[in-house]
């Protein structure tokens, strides 16, 4: 993104857009390659330590009130908040896997 003399952002065009896209895709592929082994180990440990899905999905509120879904490794037992509703975890929480 370029800035004008007034400090406003402008859209990338032409070769700069191609360069930005190439860097985005290249760095993403590199990160996925490097992180695939640790992610596979974490996924296996989550599945091994407790029944249920590996990933936890949650709706979050983003910029300008737009909602999005966050996906992360599950760190609590499946349906851990069914009886209490959403509450903060505490040290030695029995819901943690």
């Amino acid at each position: 993104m370029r800035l004008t003399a007034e400090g406003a952002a402008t859209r990338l065009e032409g070769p700069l857009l191609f360069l930005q896209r190439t860097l985005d895709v290249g760095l993403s592929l590199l990160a996925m390659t490097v992180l695939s082994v640790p992610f596979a180990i974490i996924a296996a440990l989550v599945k091994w330590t407790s029944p249920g899905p590996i990933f936890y999905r949650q709706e979050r509120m983003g910029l300008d009130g737009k909602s999005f879904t966050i996906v992360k490794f599950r760190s609590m037992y499946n349906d851990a908040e069914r009886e209490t509703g959403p509450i903060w975890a505490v040290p030695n929480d029995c819901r943690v896997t």
Side-chain angles (χ1 to χ4, degrees), residues 28-44 73:
S28 296
L29 287 173
L30 178 66
M32 288 187 333
T33 302
V34 170
L35 295 173
S36 63
V37 172
F39 283 173
I41 292 169
I42 293 168
F73 288 108

Side-chain angles (χ1 to χ4, degrees), residues 35-54:
L35 295 173
S36 63
V37 172
F39 283 173
I41 292 169
I42 293 168
L45 288 171
V46 169
K47 195 64 173 172
W48 180 56
T49 58
S50 65
I54 294 170

Side-chain angles (χ1 to χ4, degrees), residues 11-87:
R11 290 185 174 265
L12 293 177
E13 296 173 352
L16 289 178
L17 179 62
F18 176 76
L19 177 63
Q20 181 67 51
R21 180 67 178 158
T22 303
L23 282 173
D24 289 346
V25 171
L27 291 175
S28 296
L29 287 173
L30 178 66
M32 288 187 333
T33 302
V34 170
L35 295 173
S36 63
V37 172
F39 283 173
I41 292 169
I42 293 168
L45 288 171
V46 169
K47 195 64 173 172
W48 180 56
T49 58
S50 65
I54 294 170
F55 297 108
Y56 173 74
R57 290 173 177 79
Q58 185 181 46
E59 286 291 316
R60 299 264 176 112
M61 193 64 63
L63 188 63
D64 297 328
K66 294 175 75 174
S67 66
F68 65 95
T69 303
I70 186 170
V71 179
K72 58 185 181 177
F73 288 108
R74 185 173 50 85
S75 61
M76 291 191 172
Y77 289 101
N78 201 27
D79 292 329
E81 297 177 330
R82 180 175 6 123
E83 294 176 16
T84 63
I87 58 173

